[in-house]
């Protein structure tokens, strides 16, 4: 019996390790994708610690929502199993292992906060002005390719101002030539 319990714990440990890696990877990528948003908050007057606390609160909110949804799914499955056993006239009580459940949720919360705050903290080392960038710097954030952007399809203000500058240069050049003669 000890071998079976150890095997179950090994499989459960591997599943929890995989879930932890997936959680850390998802939160790290999501936080590093939001560098511009965090820089905008800094430019709006938020301190570095305020931004990091906000990121930590968002990570904890993800863990809470995941825990609630997981508990609802587990409760529905347990109630269905309990009802099926009742049909077979096998009545049993449902025992929830609260201690391991609490340890798992706590470990996920710590991992989530560290995985979200670490990339945000590293990105906050740079000046917010450098991180915020400009609209022309947006490459893969849903912007259209440069060739097909709507501003290229219509006449740009830069072209009209270039024409005015060229006309002025030509006119000025003629005036200069007239003065030289």
């Amino acid at each position: 019996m000890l071998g079976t319990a150890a095997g179950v714990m090994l499989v459960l440990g591997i599943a929890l390790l995989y879930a932890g890696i997936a959680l850390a990877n998802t939160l790290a990528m999501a936080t590093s994708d939001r560098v511009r948003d965090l820089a905008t908050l800094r430019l709006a007057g938020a301190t570095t610690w305020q931004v990091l606390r906000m990121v930590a609160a968002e990570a904890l909110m993800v863990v809470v929502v995941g825990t609630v949804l997981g508990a609802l799914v587990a409760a529905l499955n347990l109630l269905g199993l309990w009802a099926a056993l009742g049909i077979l006239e096998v009545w049993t009580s449902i025992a929830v292992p609260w201690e391991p459940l609490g340890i798992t949720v706590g470990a996920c919360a710590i991992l989530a906060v560290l995985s979200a705050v670490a990339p945000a903290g590293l990105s906050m080392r740079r000046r917010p002005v450098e991180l915020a960038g400009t609209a022309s710097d947006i490459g893969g954030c849903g912007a259209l390719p440069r060739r097909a952007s709507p501003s290229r399809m219509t006449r740009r203000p830069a072209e009209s101002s270039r024409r005015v500058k060229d006309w002025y240069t030509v006119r000025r050049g003629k005036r200069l030539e007239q003065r030289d003669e």
Side-chain angles (χ1 to χ4, degrees), residues 38-57:
L38 300 177
T40 304
L41 286 172
R42 291 273 296 127
L43 289 173
T47 65
T48 302
W49 290 110
Q50 287 173 335
V51 172
L52 292 179
R53 278 195 304 260
M54 183 198 69
V55 169

Side-chain angles (χ1 to χ4, degrees), residues 159-176:
E159 288 178 8
S160 61
S161 64
R162 190 177 323 127
R163 288 182 187 145
V164 169
K165 287 179 185 175
D166 291 343
W167 177 83
Y168 180 73
T169 306
V170 169
R171 296 290 295 168
R172 188 170 175 222
K174 286 183 180 177
R175 287 184 189 157
L176 291 176

Side-chain angles (χ1 to χ4, degrees), residues 9 12-13 15-17 19-20 23 60 63-64 66-67 97-112:
M9 292 305 286
L12 183 63
L16 288 175
L17 179 67
L23 175 71
L60 286 175
V63 172
V64 167
T67 301
W98 292 109
E99 185 179 342
L101 186 64
I103 291 171
T104 303
V105 170
C108 285
I110 291 169
L111 183 64

Side-chain angles (χ1 to χ4, degrees), residues 74-147:
L76 288 174
N77 284 328
L78 285 174
L79 287 175
L81 182 63
W82 185 71
L85 287 174
I87 292 173
L88 296 173
E89 296 182 4
V90 178
W91 298 104
T92 184
S93 63
I94 298 175
V96 178
W98 292 109
E99 185 179 342
L101 186 64
I103 291 171
T104 303
V105 170
C108 285
I110 291 169
L111 183 64
V113 168
L114 290 177
S115 299
V117 170
L122 289 175
S123 70
M124 290 290 118
R125 288 181 167 184
R126 293 178 54 194
R127 292 178 42 211
V129 174
E130 294 172 4
L131 295 173
T134 60
S136 63
D137 292 340
I138 301 173
C141 299
L144 292 172
R146 202 165 169 92
R147 279 177 266 128

